[in-house]
Amino acid sequence: MKTFIHNPILYGLLLLLLPVALKAQLQPKIANMRSYDQQGINIFEDPKDTAATFDGLKLKFGAGFTQQFQNLKHKNPDALKNDVGSYSSGEIIPGNKLKVITAGFQTAQANLYLDVQLADGIRLNVTTYLSSKHHNESWVKGGFIQFDKLPFKGQIWNDIMKVTTIKIGHFEVNYGDEHFRRTDGGHALYNPFMEGYIMDAFATEIGGEIYVKKNGLFGMIGVTNGMIKGNVDSLYAAQNPDGDRHKSPSLLLKAGFDRQLTDDIRLRISGSYYGNQSSGSNTLYGGDRSGSNYQYIMELNSANPSSATGAGTPLAFSGRFNPGFNKKVNAFMFNGFVKARGLELFGTYETASGRTARETSTRNASQYAVDAVYRFFKAENVFLGVRYNAVRATLANNATGTGAGAIKYDGNVSVDRLAFAGGWFLTRNIMLKGEYVIQQYKDFPVADYRAGGKFNGYVIEATVGF
């Protein structure tokens, strides 16, 4: 975590945040916003409050703090020697040796939220990662303006905006429903488990999204720049060795049904599409700037962070699988959610295809996941859960070694994870949870350090959100 004393801006923000944390209940209400505490669980798109009134500009600070203790073990017994085209059975070369890890506390993570009610039905959000595993400096996740009303006179505008929401800025794209349940840096209250999915679809891009919701039906269309940040410089050429420097926008589509069928049963079904046909550097499956919550797991011993690359940047995505579709990607995600009293079932099926700038043909990847969570007592402040997640993908063409002994591999690999979790909300802002996880890597080539890989163990987490 960065020392803030020498940064007057961040120091000032923390001084502002201190009284907010002590008297959070006195903060103003910002309309059409998902709560950062327990009340935000199982809220997907931001709620629509057409009855909200505006009585002046309002400013609200929020935060998410998370501290974890990790005791995980990993191994890769099938990763064999591959030195200039030769290897010996059972021998692991130093280059394939996994990082030595021991039980201990992970680096604490912290998010800062700034929400402003600018006008009637218009709000601003800016989210900052104060401390994360991906970057040792503070990092702005993004900011956007959301319109649930328009400052135009006329009944037609009022009628349109009763069912419409417009979001514009640099924000977390709304592809699929899983990103509403995953841990995001220091904010972990929404997630009953430690991590998101193995193939983690999460990206922040510049653009806009338009939502229409009525009678339980909803639809969304969005267009973004298809990259994690703005790009007008010459570095773009280095990211596209194929010579194709055309930057296409990304198209997002989403539709579904979400309704409380009875007092005890809620049903939500959704389908999403994300597509980019020529990106400079797409990060749909590698856009998390906060980092994995399994620290250093299944990482090479040689992949050490340094001041030149940022704290943890080479180790940011531990335990995840990125199919590498950074030039072209077309992805579909289908989600189903059922809540019957305290029981929650959440399912995902995702299929994607794409390629890198060095490839000439597309590859495929798919994953599915099923969560079952039961929340106890009237306040649902205690829960138990289990999740199974599996990925199957085709690796990019690669060759190792030289001459007749070279090994070429472009086959399918798979990764699966089984996780058991439990947690307790001490208050609606404070949660303690734990997870036991088993993850296995199958069918990777022997030259790959993940061949026969496996990790297992437990992680305990304390988190605050307000």
Side-chain angles (χ1 to χ4, degrees), residues 260-286:
Q260 193 76 35
L261 301 180
T262 70
D263 291 341
D264 296 327
I265 300 176
R266 176 186 172 190
L267 173 66
R268 177 183 169 98
I269 300 172
S270 71
S272 300
Y273 167 76
Y274 178 102
N276 189 296
Q277 311 314 310
S278 180
S279 175
S281 181
N282 190 270
T283 60
L284 180 62
Y285 296 104

PDB file of all heavy atoms in Angstrom, residues 260-286:
ATOM      1  N   GLN A 260     -40.159  -9.884  -9.222  1.00  0.00           N
ATOM      2  CA  GLN A 260     -40.550 -10.555  -7.997  1.00  0.00           C
ATOM      3  C   GLN A 260     -41.868 -11.258  -8.272  1.00  0.00           C
ATOM      4  O   GLN A 260     -42.930 -10.625  -8.300  1.00  0.00           O
ATOM      5  CB  GLN A 260     -40.692  -9.554  -6.856  1.00  0.00           C
ATOM      6  CG  GLN A 260     -40.803 -10.169  -5.483  1.00  0.00           C
ATOM      7  CD  GLN A 260     -39.478 -10.681  -4.961  1.00  0.00           C
ATOM      8  OE1 GLN A 260     -38.431 -10.106  -5.224  1.00  0.00           O
ATOM      9  NE2 GLN A 260     -39.516 -11.775  -4.199  1.00  0.00           N
ATOM     10  N   LEU A 261     -41.837 -12.578  -8.488  1.00  0.00           N
ATOM     11  CA  LEU A 261     -43.032 -13.312  -8.904  1.00  0.00           C
ATOM     12  C   LEU A 261     -44.041 -13.450  -7.772  1.00  0.00           C
ATOM     13  O   LEU A 261     -45.247 -13.336  -7.988  1.00  0.00           O
ATOM     14  CB  LEU A 261     -42.632 -14.690  -9.431  1.00  0.00           C
ATOM     15  CG  LEU A 261     -41.668 -14.701 -10.623  1.00  0.00           C
ATOM     16  CD1 LEU A 261     -41.355 -16.131 -11.026  1.00  0.00           C
ATOM     17  CD2 LEU A 261     -42.244 -13.926 -11.801  1.00  0.00           C
ATOM     18  N   THR A 262     -43.537 -13.726  -6.569  1.00  0.00           N
ATOM     19  CA  THR A 262     -44.372 -13.777  -5.367  1.00  0.00           C
ATOM     20  C   THR A 262     -43.588 -13.101  -4.249  1.00  0.00           C
ATOM     21  O   THR A 262     -42.472 -12.634  -4.454  1.00  0.00           O
ATOM     22  CB  THR A 262     -44.707 -15.227  -4.971  1.00  0.00           C
ATOM     23  OG1 THR A 262     -43.505 -15.865  -4.489  1.00  0.00           O
ATOM     24  CG2 THR A 262     -45.254 -16.016  -6.157  1.00  0.00           C
ATOM     25  N   ASP A 263     -44.157 -13.072  -3.064  1.00  0.00           N
ATOM     26  CA  ASP A 263     -43.442 -12.485  -1.933  1.00  0.00           C
ATOM     27  C   ASP A 263     -42.137 -13.212  -1.645  1.00  0.00           C
ATOM     28  O   ASP A 263     -41.199 -12.623  -1.105  1.00  0.00           O
ATOM     29  CB  ASP A 263     -44.322 -12.511  -0.682  1.00  0.00           C
ATOM     30  CG  ASP A 263     -45.495 -11.552  -0.780  1.00  0.00           C
ATOM     31  OD1 ASP A 263     -45.436 -10.636  -1.627  1.00  0.00           O
ATOM     32  OD2 ASP A 263     -46.470 -11.734  -0.023  1.00  0.00           O
ATOM     33  N   ASP A 264     -42.058 -14.498  -2.013  1.00  0.00           N
ATOM     34  CA  ASP A 264     -40.899 -15.314  -1.664  1.00  0.00           C
ATOM     35  C   ASP A 264     -39.998 -15.658  -2.842  1.00  0.00           C
ATOM     36  O   ASP A 264     -38.888 -16.165  -2.635  1.00  0.00           O
ATOM     37  CB  ASP A 264     -41.357 -16.631  -1.020  1.00  0.00           C
ATOM     38  CG  ASP A 264     -42.087 -16.404   0.296  1.00  0.00           C
ATOM     39  OD1 ASP A 264     -41.736 -15.434   1.010  1.00  0.00           O
ATOM     40  OD2 ASP A 264     -43.005 -17.176   0.601  1.00  0.00           O
ATOM     41  N   ILE A 265     -40.443 -15.421  -4.064  1.00  0.00           N
ATOM     42  CA  ILE A 265     -39.688 -15.898  -5.227  1.00  0.00           C
ATOM     43  C   ILE A 265     -39.408 -14.750  -6.194  1.00  0.00           C
ATOM     44  O   ILE A 265     -40.311 -14.043  -6.631  1.00  0.00           O
ATOM     45  CB  ILE A 265     -40.447 -17.012  -5.969  1.00  0.00           C
ATOM     46  CG1 ILE A 265     -40.678 -18.199  -5.041  1.00  0.00           C
ATOM     47  CG2 ILE A 265     -39.681 -17.451  -7.210  1.00  0.00           C
ATOM     48  CD1 ILE A 265     -41.502 -19.310  -5.662  1.00  0.00           C
ATOM     49  N   ARG A 266     -38.141 -14.605  -6.537  1.00  0.00           N
ATOM     50  CA  ARG A 266     -37.701 -13.654  -7.553  1.00  0.00           C
ATOM     51  C   ARG A 266     -36.987 -14.414  -8.662  1.00  0.00           C
ATOM     52  O   ARG A 266     -36.214 -15.350  -8.408  1.00  0.00           O
ATOM     53  CB  ARG A 266     -36.749 -12.622  -6.955  1.00  0.00           C
ATOM     54  CG  ARG A 266     -36.172 -11.641  -7.988  1.00  0.00           C
ATOM     55  CD  ARG A 266     -35.121 -10.747  -7.366  1.00  0.00           C
ATOM     56  NE  ARG A 266     -34.435  -9.945  -8.358  1.00  0.00           N
ATOM     57  CZ  ARG A 266     -33.350  -9.221  -8.113  1.00  0.00           C
ATOM     58  NH1 ARG A 266     -32.836  -9.198  -6.887  1.00  0.00           N
ATOM     59  NH2 ARG A 266     -32.763  -8.532  -9.072  1.00  0.00           N
ATOM     60  N   LEU A 267     -37.227 -14.005  -9.905  1.00  0.00           N
ATOM     61  CA  LEU A 267     -36.602 -14.652 -11.060  1.00  0.00           C
ATOM     62  C   LEU A 267     -35.977 -13.596 -11.956  1.00  0.00           C
ATOM     63  O   LEU A 267     -36.600 -12.576 -12.266  1.00  0.00           O
ATOM     64  CB  LEU A 267     -37.643 -15.443 -11.861  1.00  0.00           C
ATOM     65  CG  LEU A 267     -37.163 -16.036 -13.200  1.00  0.00           C
ATOM     66  CD1 LEU A 267     -36.107 -17.111 -12.965  1.00  0.00           C
ATOM     67  CD2 LEU A 267     -38.347 -16.606 -13.984  1.00  0.00           C
ATOM     68  N   ARG A 268     -34.744 -13.844 -12.376  1.00  0.00           N
ATOM     69  CA  ARG A 268     -34.055 -12.978 -13.335  1.00  0.00           C
ATOM     70  C   ARG A 268     -33.364 -13.852 -14.370  1.00  0.00           C
ATOM     71  O   ARG A 268     -32.652 -14.804 -14.027  1.00  0.00           O
ATOM     72  CB  ARG A 268     -33.032 -12.073 -12.645  1.00  0.00           C
ATOM     73  CG  ARG A 268     -32.237 -11.188 -13.641  1.00  0.00           C
ATOM     74  CD  ARG A 268     -31.187 -10.375 -12.922  1.00  0.00           C
ATOM     75  NE  ARG A 268     -30.267  -9.727 -13.840  1.00  0.00           N
ATOM     76  CZ  ARG A 268     -30.349  -8.460 -14.251  1.00  0.00           C
ATOM     77  NH1 ARG A 268     -31.331  -7.684 -13.808  1.00  0.00           N
ATOM     78  NH2 ARG A 268     -29.459  -7.958 -15.075  1.00  0.00           N
ATOM     79  N   ILE A 269     -33.559 -13.524 -15.644  1.00  0.00           N
ATOM     80  CA  ILE A 269     -32.891 -14.201 -16.756  1.00  0.00           C
ATOM     81  C   ILE A 269     -32.341 -13.122 -17.679  1.00  0.00           C
ATOM     82  O   ILE A 269     -33.039 -12.138 -17.988  1.00  0.00           O
ATOM     83  CB  ILE A 269     -33.869 -15.108 -17.538  1.00  0.00           C
ATOM     84  CG1 ILE A 269     -34.450 -16.177 -16.618  1.00  0.00           C
ATOM     85  CG2 ILE A 269     -33.174 -15.768 -18.718  1.00  0.00           C
ATOM     86  CD1 ILE A 269     -35.556 -16.993 -17.264  1.00  0.00           C
ATOM     87  N   SER A 270     -31.105 -13.278 -18.133  1.00  0.00           N
ATOM     88  CA  SER A 270     -30.529 -12.260 -19.013  1.00  0.00           C
ATOM     89  C   SER A 270     -29.581 -12.900 -20.020  1.00  0.00           C
ATOM     90  O   SER A 270     -28.995 -13.954 -19.781  1.00  0.00           O
ATOM     91  CB  SER A 270     -29.775 -11.197 -18.210  1.00  0.00           C
ATOM     92  OG  SER A 270     -28.574 -11.718 -17.680  1.00  0.00           O
ATOM     93  N   GLY A 271     -29.436 -12.220 -21.154  1.00  0.00           N
ATOM     94  CA  GLY A 271     -28.471 -12.593 -22.172  1.00  0.00           C
ATOM     95  C   GLY A 271     -27.688 -11.361 -22.586  1.00  0.00           C
ATOM     96  O   GLY A 271     -28.253 -10.267 -22.729  1.00  0.00           O
ATOM     97  N   SER A 272     -26.369 -11.502 -22.762  1.00  0.00           N
ATOM     98  CA  SER A 272     -25.503 -10.365 -23.078  1.00  0.00           C
ATOM     99  C   SER A 272     -24.580 -10.698 -24.243  1.00  0.00           C
ATOM    100  O   SER A 272     -24.185 -11.851 -24.432  1.00  0.00           O
ATOM    101  CB  SER A 272     -24.649  -9.971 -21.867  1.00  0.00           C
ATOM    102  OG  SER A 272     -25.429  -9.614 -20.764  1.00  0.00           O
ATOM    103  N   TYR A 273     -24.222  -9.652 -24.984  1.00  0.00           N
ATOM    104  CA  TYR A 273     -23.254  -9.775 -26.079  1.00  0.00           C
ATOM    105  C   TYR A 273     -22.241  -8.649 -25.978  1.00  0.00           C
ATOM    106  O   TYR A 273     -22.600  -7.494 -25.711  1.00  0.00           O
ATOM    107  CB  TYR A 273     -23.944  -9.705 -27.432  1.00  0.00           C
ATOM    108  CG  TYR A 273     -22.990  -9.502 -28.604  1.00  0.00           C
ATOM    109  CD1 TYR A 273     -22.217 -10.551 -29.089  1.00  0.00           C
ATOM    110  CD2 TYR A 273     -22.853  -8.249 -29.202  1.00  0.00           C
ATOM    111  CE1 TYR A 273     -21.330 -10.360 -30.149  1.00  0.00           C
ATOM    112  CE2 TYR A 273     -21.978  -8.055 -30.264  1.00  0.00           C
ATOM    113  CZ  TYR A 273     -21.222  -9.112 -30.729  1.00  0.00           C
ATOM    114  OH  TYR A 273     -20.338  -8.916 -31.773  1.00  0.00           O
ATOM    115  N   TYR A 274     -20.963  -8.997 -26.206  1.00  0.00           N
ATOM    116  CA  TYR A 274     -19.888  -8.008 -26.317  1.00  0.00           C
ATOM    117  C   TYR A 274     -19.086  -8.363 -27.558  1.00  0.00           C
ATOM    118  O   TYR A 274     -18.637  -9.505 -27.708  1.00  0.00           O
ATOM    119  CB  TYR A 274     -18.980  -8.043 -25.080  1.00  0.00           C
ATOM    120  CG  TYR A 274     -17.809  -7.075 -25.154  1.00  0.00           C
ATOM    121  CD1 TYR A 274     -17.837  -5.870 -24.453  1.00  0.00           C
ATOM    122  CD2 TYR A 274     -16.678  -7.358 -25.921  1.00  0.00           C
ATOM    123  CE1 TYR A 274     -16.778  -4.978 -24.519  1.00  0.00           C
ATOM    124  CE2 TYR A 274     -15.625  -6.476 -25.996  1.00  0.00           C
ATOM    125  CZ  TYR A 274     -15.672  -5.294 -25.300  1.00  0.00           C
ATOM    126  OH  TYR A 274     -14.619  -4.399 -25.372  1.00  0.00           O
ATOM    127  N   GLY A 275     -18.889  -7.388 -28.446  1.00  0.00           N
ATOM    128  CA  GLY A 275     -18.141  -7.671 -29.664  1.00  0.00           C
ATOM    129  C   GLY A 275     -17.252  -6.532 -30.079  1.00  0.00           C
ATOM    130  O   GLY A 275     -17.647  -5.365 -30.034  1.00  0.00           O
ATOM    131  N   ASN A 276     -16.026  -6.867 -30.473  1.00  0.00           N
ATOM    132  CA  ASN A 276     -15.101  -5.903 -31.070  1.00  0.00           C
ATOM    133  C   ASN A 276     -14.331  -6.620 -32.173  1.00  0.00           C
ATOM    134  O   ASN A 276     -13.711  -7.657 -31.933  1.00  0.00           O
ATOM    135  CB  ASN A 276     -14.138  -5.328 -30.037  1.00  0.00           C
ATOM    136  CG  ASN A 276     -13.335  -4.171 -30.594  1.00  0.00           C
ATOM    137  OD1 ASN A 276     -12.543  -4.320 -31.514  1.00  0.00           O
ATOM    138  ND2 ASN A 276     -13.553  -2.988 -30.036  1.00  0.00           N
ATOM    139  N   GLN A 277     -14.345  -6.066 -33.384  1.00  0.00           N
ATOM    140  CA  GLN A 277     -13.790  -6.756 -34.541  1.00  0.00           C
ATOM    141  C   GLN A 277     -12.364  -6.332 -34.869  1.00  0.00           C
ATOM    142  O   GLN A 277     -11.698  -6.981 -35.683  1.00  0.00           O
ATOM    143  CB  GLN A 277     -14.694  -6.535 -35.758  1.00  0.00           C
ATOM    144  CG  GLN A 277     -16.173  -6.798 -35.499  1.00  0.00           C
ATOM    145  CD  GLN A 277     -16.438  -8.096 -34.752  1.00  0.00           C
ATOM    146  OE1 GLN A 277     -15.931  -9.164 -35.120  1.00  0.00           O
ATOM    147  NE2 GLN A 277     -17.257  -8.032 -33.695  1.00  0.00           N
ATOM    148  N   SER A 278     -11.878  -5.258 -34.244  1.00  0.00           N
ATOM    149  CA  SER A 278     -10.500  -4.830 -34.495  1.00  0.00           C
ATOM    150  C   SER A 278     -10.075  -3.833 -33.431  1.00  0.00           C
ATOM    151  O   SER A 278     -10.142  -2.623 -33.618  1.00  0.00           O
ATOM    152  CB  SER A 278     -10.365  -4.196 -35.889  1.00  0.00           C
ATOM    153  OG  SER A 278      -9.021  -3.782 -36.116  1.00  0.00           O
ATOM    154  N   SER A 279      -9.634  -4.349 -32.291  1.00  0.00           N
ATOM    155  CA  SER A 279      -9.245  -3.498 -31.174  1.00  0.00           C
ATOM    156  C   SER A 279      -7.730  -3.313 -31.147  1.00  0.00           C
ATOM    157  O   SER A 279      -6.973  -4.172 -31.591  1.00  0.00           O
ATOM    158  CB  SER A 279      -9.703  -4.118 -29.854  1.00  0.00           C
ATOM    159  OG  SER A 279      -9.226  -3.365 -28.760  1.00  0.00           O
ATOM    160  N   GLY A 280      -7.316  -2.187 -30.616  1.00  0.00           N
ATOM    161  CA  GLY A 280      -5.884  -1.979 -30.425  1.00  0.00           C
ATOM    162  C   GLY A 280      -5.334  -2.839 -29.309  1.00  0.00           C
ATOM    163  O   GLY A 280      -4.235  -3.389 -29.413  1.00  0.00           O
ATOM    164  N   SER A 281      -6.095  -2.991 -28.244  1.00  0.00           N
ATOM    165  CA  SER A 281      -5.675  -3.828 -27.118  1.00  0.00           C
ATOM    166  C   SER A 281      -6.887  -4.069 -26.226  1.00  0.00           C
ATOM    167  O   SER A 281      -7.086  -3.391 -25.220  1.00  0.00           O
ATOM    168  CB  SER A 281      -4.557  -3.155 -26.323  1.00  0.00           C
ATOM    169  OG  SER A 281      -4.137  -3.963 -25.246  1.00  0.00           O
ATOM    170  N   ASN A 282      -7.700  -5.056 -26.583  1.00  0.00           N
ATOM    171  CA  ASN A 282      -8.916  -5.339 -25.839  1.00  0.00           C
ATOM    172  C   ASN A 282      -8.606  -6.067 -24.543  1.00  0.00           C
ATOM    173  O   ASN A 282      -7.738  -6.941 -24.510  1.00  0.00           O
ATOM    174  CB  ASN A 282      -9.886  -6.160 -26.686  1.00  0.00           C
ATOM    175  CG  ASN A 282     -11.250  -6.274 -26.041  1.00  0.00           C
ATOM    176  OD1 ASN A 282     -11.500  -7.191 -25.275  1.00  0.00           O
ATOM    177  ND2 ASN A 282     -12.126  -5.333 -26.348  1.00  0.00           N
ATOM    178  N   THR A 283      -9.322  -5.733 -23.476  1.00  0.00           N
ATOM    179  CA  THR A 283      -9.039  -6.315 -22.157  1.00  0.00           C
ATOM    180  C   THR A 283     -10.279  -6.910 -21.504  1.00  0.00           C
ATOM    181  O   THR A 283     -10.394  -6.896 -20.277  1.00  0.00           O
ATOM    182  CB  THR A 283      -8.437  -5.254 -21.218  1.00  0.00           C
ATOM    183  OG1 THR A 283      -9.385  -4.179 -21.071  1.00  0.00           O
ATOM    184  CG2 THR A 283      -7.123  -4.712 -21.758  1.00  0.00           C
ATOM    185  N   LEU A 284     -11.208  -7.444 -22.309  1.00  0.00           N
ATOM    186  CA  LEU A 284     -12.434  -7.985 -21.722  1.00  0.00           C
ATOM    187  C   LEU A 284     -12.138  -9.041 -20.662  1.00  0.00           C
ATOM    188  O   LEU A 284     -12.828  -9.125 -19.652  1.00  0.00           O
ATOM    189  CB  LEU A 284     -13.329  -8.577 -22.813  1.00  0.00           C
ATOM    190  CG  LEU A 284     -14.648  -9.191 -22.329  1.00  0.00           C
ATOM    191  CD1 LEU A 284     -15.523  -8.128 -21.657  1.00  0.00           C
ATOM    192  CD2 LEU A 284     -15.394  -9.852 -23.466  1.00  0.00           C
ATOM    193  N   TYR A 285     -11.101  -9.860 -20.862  1.00  0.00           N
ATOM    194  CA  TYR A 285     -10.773 -10.919 -19.899  1.00  0.00           C
ATOM    195  C   TYR A 285      -9.477 -10.627 -19.132  1.00  0.00           C
ATOM    196  O   TYR A 285      -8.910 -11.519 -18.514  1.00  0.00           O
ATOM    197  CB  TYR A 285     -10.672 -12.261 -20.621  1.00  0.00           C
ATOM    198  CG  TYR A 285     -11.995 -12.687 -21.220  1.00  0.00           C
ATOM    199  CD1 TYR A 285     -12.230 -12.588 -22.591  1.00  0.00           C
ATOM    200  CD2 TYR A 285     -13.029 -13.135 -20.411  1.00  0.00           C
ATOM    201  CE1 TYR A 285     -13.450 -12.961 -23.134  1.00  0.00           C
ATOM    202  CE2 TYR A 285     -14.254 -13.494 -20.946  1.00  0.00           C
ATOM    203  CZ  TYR A 285     -14.459 -13.408 -22.299  1.00  0.00           C
ATOM    204  OH  TYR A 285     -15.680 -13.758 -22.839  1.00  0.00           O
ATOM    205  N   GLY A 286      -9.039  -9.375 -19.177  1.00  0.00           N
ATOM    206  CA  GLY A 286      -7.843  -9.008 -18.411  1.00  0.00           C
ATOM    207  C   GLY A 286      -7.856  -7.547 -18.013  1.00  0.00           C
ATOM    208  O   GLY A 286      -6.799  -6.932 -17.891  1.00  0.00           O
TER     209      GLY A 286
END
